[in-house]
Amino acid sequence: MQRIGVFVCWCGSNIAGTVDVHAVAEALKTEPGVVFSTDYQYMCSQAGQNIIKDAIRDYRLTGVVVCSCSPRMHEVTFRKTASQAGLNPYMVEIANIREQCSWVHKDVPTGTEKAIILGRAAVAKVNLNAPLTPGESLVIKRALVIGGGIAGIQTALDIADAGFPVDIVEKQPTIGGKMAQLDKTFPTLDCAACILTPKMVDAAQNENIRILSYSEVEKVGGFVGNFEVTIRKKARYVKEDICTGCGACVEKCPMKKVPNEFNLGMDNRRAVYIPFAQAVPKVATIDPNYCNMLKNGKCGLCARVCTAGAIDYTQKDELITEKYGAIVVATGYNPISLDKFDEFAYNQSKDVISSLEFERLTNAAGPTAGKLVRPSDGKHPHTIVFVQCVGSRCDACAEKGKEYCSKICCMYTAKHAMLTRDKYPDTEVYVFYIDVRTPGKNFDEFYRRAVEEYGVHYVKGMVGKVSPEGDTLKVQASDLISGKQLHIDADLVVLAAAIEPDASARPLATMLTASMDTNDFFTEAHPKLRPVESPTAGVFLSGACQGPKDIPETVSQAGAAASKVIGLLVKDKLTTNPCVAQSNELMCNGCSSCELVCPYGAITYIDKEFRMPDRSIQIRRVAQVNPAVCQGCGACTVACPSGAMDLNGFKSEQIIAEVDAICR
Amino acid sequence: MPVNGYKPLIVAFCCNWCSYAGADLAGNNRLNYPADVKIIRVPCSCRVNPMFVLRAFQRGADGVIICGCHPGDCHYTSGNYFTRRRMALLFSMLDYLGIERERTRVEWVSAAEGAKFAATMNDFAETVASLGENKRLEDLRCKK
């Protein structure tokens, strides 16, 4: 029989407000095995933990039940407390009477009654707990960063600086991501390329960093400290180590009409291309969808002009398998498709563009060499209308937009408006907004400058319709403050499209078994206290894959993710979860049911000798679980027809005891 | 959700990674649902043996709900697929045992779906309450 101590936490008034904590402590005193029961204001505080430690010693407790907040919050804390007092940490169970009781029920009698039942179930479980000892696993001292935008680059640089090797996997032919496409950055108006490209070069030159560009993650196996990842290095038909990036092939390629994705299709590139001048690695790539040689074997000009002999039309995709201790997701974002926003005539008129397209139009390295012109006729626009929240904060239009705020649009629109007025003082610039959101260092000052110094017309209200009529775009909008309808003849309309996670994030999350929210942003282990860790151990989050972010925020999160990775990689060994499956060899009949359902291949079979009651020796095939590989899901426990498989920490009899205690 | 003053007893098995976290989020956001719902934490929904469901009914539960990660999002890759199949099989036999099919449910609730968790529990509790007390499988020897 266990000697159990029950500790009921008030959590200030969080629990005590809806649950009569004294009554709970009193009621649980009479439960089987309970020898001590008390309540305290904050169990997680130093004083609270001391109450637990003292009770463990004074009452020779063999089990502890803490009725408090969610085990996802403080299970680790209280397990540590117990082990400091000499008790096996796995003899502690938490009854969640905050998140799942006091916070969701309103009146005290109901809350108290439920808290007692939850406490009772935890006591019933602890009665059947057994001490568990975690094993150890080795840490592979190498990190993988998925995504080579500013988030991935910064994370990789920080990890590499600490002395650990890092691989960056980037699906595009070059690293740099979205930031490489930007012209200036708010609120300082730094030139994006000037602050990004040195970092790209640093990453390329850092001996701890290997850049796998034009590559994608294909398969992920293993667990924290020991992931095994298969990476597909797509054939670029150019030998990366030989190509000098001279560009002779690009000049000679006759296939000139390939939409240039780097400039969002606003100009063309060749079938063999280097995305932009500062690309890293600066290596040509042949687009197999357009190259005549690859499509029908007729051409081969690039191979003839390449003095280095780097062109290789026979190149195949290469699969690289590598082991990593930690994985950082930095897959970033994309603007949403504007195809469904017919009211803004995005598909009807070339002069209705997205903000990212505007960014390319004003970029010195862009399709117009930085000259702001109308894409339709190349004329200088005089009246420019910016529309904010296109697809953001869209409750009613959930099928085409997003419910959340995309966060960065207010600031980049202010930047666009300001820069336009600065460079072209003859323009009239209107910005239509629902709210202007400028929380951030020097952000509001920046927005006010746009209004006060640069005379940008900010109008509160949404644009109802944009209709192309001849050369102009008729913009119909309402001014919510004056209550008037506005009609503006615009030359250019710029839509601040909502941003969404990159499409590669969803399949990647499945591979990593990392969770996502309803918008496909990765979820963090704790929204406030563990913002750069995924709930899946060993998987970390960097940048906009976790939620909309601007560059300063992305860089700080990237650094934070790197420091978490470094904290993991400096360890030589990790303790493994002892809550793993265990097979009772006497009951196992070697049927293989468990092996078939195990997603980790943790179960193997051995022939084992058994001494029978008649003293004869029988050799039987029995299941064996590798505790270092088992992750403790419990699929095998249900598949086992003879009931030989059980899961430590969640044994069948423990769960049944909980059911019984609840249904008593 | 008492119907005619009757409060059902509902056992909810929630997987640690998605649904239990979803229930925590419902708590964080103070989204109410009936206190009749009592949650048991399991590592994965596939840890739930059909036997546990029957045990709950035997001991007097009026409804049993199993919540896991959305298909494709299982923390253990494939656990919820097993749950789906196992429970479909079990539920198909409940009628034979004299338990209304509506007393059981498998739902997918992610860690970010606190609102869905609360809404699911409200709806389930209402359904179970409207069915009334579950007497048929209760082992009277268990109740003194």
Side-chain angles (χ1 to χ4, degrees):
Chain A
M1 192 69 178
Q2 308 274 17
R3 297 175 58 81
I4 298 168
V6 176
F7 304 87
V8 185
C9 181
W10 303 10
C11 195
S13 65
N14 282 309
I15 293 173
T18 335
V19 170
D20 181 346
V21 282
H22 304 299
V24 175
E26 219 34 58
L28 294 176
K29 243 176 209 166
T30 57
E31 286 299 307
V34 176
V35 294
F36 176 77
S37 180
T38 189
D39 55 82
Y40 184 68
Q41 231 166 353
Y42 290 104
M43 265 315 159
C44 59
S45 67
Q46 182 103 46
Q49 293 190 42
N50 283 338
I51 293 176
I52 299 178
K53 284 187 214 168
D54 291 344
I56 291 174
R57 292 192 192 102
D58 297 346
Y59 293 88
R60 293 177 287 113
L61 299 181
T62 60
V64 165
V65 168
V66 187
C67 301
S68 61
C69 53
S70 172
R72 294 169 53 85
M73 185 83 191
H74 274 316
E75 190 173 57
V76 177
T77 314
F78 292 121
R79 279 184 174 166
K80 213 179 270 174
T81 312
S83 84
Q84 282 163 0
L87 187 67
N88 184 288
Y90 293 90
M91 297 304 291
V92 176
E93 289 295 335
I94 310 279
N96 185 346
I97 61 165
R98 192 179 75 173
E99 280 86 345
Q100 295 176 8
C101 185
S102 70
W103 275 354
V104 285
H105 306 315
K106 280 191 179 129
D107 61 303
V108 178
T110 318
T112 310
E113 190 196 338
K114 180 168 169 181
I116 292 171
I117 295 173
L118 295 178
R120 206 157 72 188
V123 170
K125 189 178 180 194
V126 173
N127 261 312
L128 298 165
N129 273 26
L132 299 173
T133 318
E136 280 181 339
S137 67
L138 291 173
V139 178
I140 311 261
K141 294 183 181 284
R142 184 181 197 91
L144 172 67
V145 175
I146 305 170
I150 180 63
I153 294 172
Q154 186 63 49
T155 308
L157 283 172
D158 287 351
I159 298 171
D161 274 350
F164 295 105
V166 194
D167 289 353
I168 301 178
V169 171
E170 168 57 54
K171 66 176 177 182
Q172 301 297 337
T174 172
I175 58 170
K178 288 284 171 304
M179 191 175 167
Q181 290 174 288
L182 306 184
D183 180 33
K184 302 279 190 301
T185 56
F186 61 78
T188 49
L189 299 180
D190 287 303
C191 140
C194 313
I195 53 178
L196 174 70
T197 46
K199 278 195 186 292
M200 291 163 63
V201 175
D202 278 355
Q205 289 175 348
N206 193 311
E207 55 184 20
N208 278 330
I209 298 180
R210 176 169 67 153
I211 298 172
L212 299 167
S213 61
Y214 212 45
S215 303
E216 281 175 54
V217 172
E218 183 123 321
K219 204 172 134 205
V220 181
F223 46 91
V224 55
N226 197 354
F227 291 105
E228 192 175 290
V229 181
T230 308
I231 298 158
R232 176 176 293 271
K233 206 164 165 25
K234 292 178 281 186
R236 65 199 313 161
Y237 306 103
V238 174
K239 290 177 195 147
E240 219 179 300
D241 43 347
I242 297 178
C243 175
T244 59
C246 70
C249 53
V250 180
E251 249 169 64
K252 285 285 176 298
C253 178
M255 194 63 212
K256 294 175 184 171
K257 286 272 161 73
V258 184
N260 183 358
E261 49 282 89
F262 189 73
N263 285 334
L264 303 154
M266 288 190 290
D267 64 354
N268 292 324
R269 61 162 168 82
R270 311 289 173 99
V272 57
Y273 66 107
I274 296 172
F276 56 100
Q278 298 93 343
V280 169
K282 197 166 179 192
V283 173
T285 304
I286 299 179
D287 187 336
N289 297 321
Y290 293 94
C291 172
N292 276 333
M293 187 67 187
L294 290 170
K295 272 166 64 185
N296 44 37
K298 287 180 193 145
C299 184
L301 256 181
C302 50
R304 261 176 272 152
V305 296
C306 181
T307 46
I311 308 282
D312 175 9
Y313 299 116
T314 61
Q315 207 176 54
K316 294 266 178 321
D317 287 7
E318 190 188 338
L319 290 178
I320 302 169
T321 303
E322 190 78 61
K323 287 198 160 201
Y324 300 98
I327 298 176
V328 182
V329 184
T331 45
Y333 73 94
N334 270 315
I336 61 165
S337 154
L338 294 173
D339 290 348
K340 286 183 183 165
F341 290 86
D342 283 338
E343 64 268 39
F344 300 125
Y346 180 74
N347 283 340
Q348 284 89 295
S349 170
K350 274 188 155 182
D351 297 329
V352 179
I353 59 174
S354 74
S355 294
L356 196 55
E357 286 165 344
F358 184 86
E359 198 79 49
R360 292 310 300 157
L361 273 186
T362 51
N363 192 310
T368 58
K371 201 169 156 221
L372 181 61
V373 292
R374 283 156 52 99
S376 63
D377 51 15
K379 282 187 196 153
H380 171 62
H382 291 279
T383 308
I384 304 173
V385 169
F386 288 89
V387 186
Q388 290 200 170
C389 289
V390 177
S392 296
R393 306 173 67 194
C394 220
D395 275 342
C397 59
E399 78 288 346
K400 56 181 184 179
K402 304 286 172 188
E403 283 181 29
Y404 52 83
C405 165
S406 296
K407 199 171 185 176
I408 56 174
C409 329
C410 285
M411 286 305 289
Y412 71 58
T413 301
K415 173 190 79 178
H416 288 162
M418 184 192 277
L419 288 173
T420 307
R421 288 280 300 152
D422 186 52
K423 213 168 166 189
Y424 309 101
D426 62 319
T427 50
E428 286 291 326
V429 175
Y430 295 87
V431 176
F432 285 90
Y433 66 95
I434 309 177
D435 297 295
V436 176
R437 294 179 166 179
T438 54
K441 195 173 170 182
N442 294 327
F443 281 15
D444 202 57
E445 293 88 326
F446 183 83
Y447 152 66
R448 284 209 311 268
R449 260 177 70 204
V451 179
E452 290 160 13
E453 282 179 39
Y454 289 89
V456 176
H457 307 297
Y458 266 78
V459 185
K460 189 177 174 74
M462 274 307 281
V463 170
K465 197 164 174 54
V466 176
S467 14
E469 270 184 44
D471 261 1
T472 54
L473 297 160
K474 300 267 181 207
V475 177
Q476 211 179 77
S478 52
D479 179 343
L480 288 180
I481 291 173
S482 70
K484 283 184 190 149
Q485 285 291 313
L486 297 180
H487 297 274
I488 299 169
D489 288 344
D491 300 315
L492 190 67
V493 172
V494 184
L495 307 176
I499 61 175
E500 63 182 358
D502 189 79
S504 63
R506 168 60 65 179
L508 185 66
T510 307
M511 278 190 263
L512 293 168
T513 68
S515 49
M516 287 186 137
D517 65 17
T518 39
N519 296 310
D520 279 6
F521 286 113
F522 281 87
T523 6
E524 46 308 82
H526 189 283
K528 296 178 196 73
L529 303 177
R530 295 172 69 194
V532 298
E533 294 157 83
S534 137
T536 302
V539 176
F540 301 87
L541 311 173
S542 176
C545 67
Q546 181 256 349
K549 271 182 202 63
D550 59 22
I551 295 165
E553 252 188 297
T554 297
V555 171
S556 34
Q557 207 206 9
S563 79
K564 290 285 171 193
V565 170
I566 296 163
L568 172 66
L569 296 187
V570 289
K571 290 183 185 133
D572 293 323
K573 280 175 182 170
L574 294 175
T575 53
T576 55
N577 173 20
C579 296
V580 293
Q582 201 173 19
S583 160
N584 181 340
E585 291 171 347
L586 293 174
M587 287 161 81
C588 175
N589 61 13
C591 72
S592 291
S593 299
C594 52
E595 188 196 13
L596 289 173
V597 297
C598 180
Y600 302 100
I603 300 170
T604 49
Y605 291 88
I606 54 160
D607 289 321
K608 201 166 174 178
E609 285 183 5
F610 288 90
R611 185 179 285 268
M612 303 312 283
D614 63 355
R615 299 187 153 229
S616 67
I617 301 282
Q618 221 186 63
I619 294 175
R620 285 216 334 259
R621 181 174 183 262
V622 291
Q624 260 201 339
V625 181
N626 180 347
V629 179
C630 175
Q631 298 295 298
C633 67
C636 55
T637 59
V638 185
C640 179
S642 54
M645 255 320 162
D646 216 341
L647 185 65
N648 285 334
F650 293 92
K651 285 185 175 292
S652 295
E653 54 170 9
Q654 289 179 301
I655 298 175
I656 288 172
E658 283 181 273
V659 171
D660 289 358
I662 287 172
C663 298
R664 197 167 357 144
Chain B
M1 201 123 316
V3 173
N4 305 327
Y6 161 67
K7 289 169 85 69
L9 173 58
I10 292 168
V11 177
F13 291 99
C14 289
C15 85
N16 181 49
W17 301 96
C18 290
S19 310
Y20 195 88
D24 278 357
L25 186 62
N28 278 325
N29 295 338
R30 314 296 196 274
L31 303 172
N32 291 82
Y33 56 88
D36 315 328
V37 178
K38 315 285 192 296
I39 297 170
I40 294 179
R41 182 164 72 129
V42 284
C44 176
S45 59
C46 73
R47 176 67 189 94
V48 181
N49 197 316
M51 189 176 73
F52 303 161
V53 179
L54 294 177
R55 177 75 165 208
F57 282 125
Q58 187 190 24
R59 293 291 161 125
D62 300 306
V64 178
I65 182 164
I66 296 136
C67 299
C69 308
H70 284 271
D73 287 353
C74 176
H75 181 76
Y76 304 100
T77 322
S78 54
N80 48 6
Y81 295 136
F82 295 128
T83 310
R84 188 160 64 179
R85 287 188 162 200
R86 282 169 187 160
M87 293 307 153
L89 199 60
L90 172 74
F91 295 170
S92 71
M93 293 187 282
L94 285 182
D95 249 354
Y96 176 75
L97 291 172
I99 298 169
E100 295 91 338
R101 175 68 184 76
E102 294 74 28
R103 292 189 189 276
T104 49
R105 224 183 249 190
V106 173
E107 288 280 355
W108 315 126
V109 180
S110 82
E113 293 175 327
K116 183 178 178 190
F117 184 86
T120 304
M121 291 307 155
N122 276 318
D123 182 61
F124 185 58
E126 205 170 330
T127 309
V128 172
S130 69
L131 289 171
E133 209 172 338
N134 177 45
K135 290 176 188 146
R136 301 186 199 166
L137 198 67
E138 192 177 345
D139 184 344
L140 291 173
R141 289 169 303 180
C142 301
K143 288 232 160 141
K144 285 174 192 122

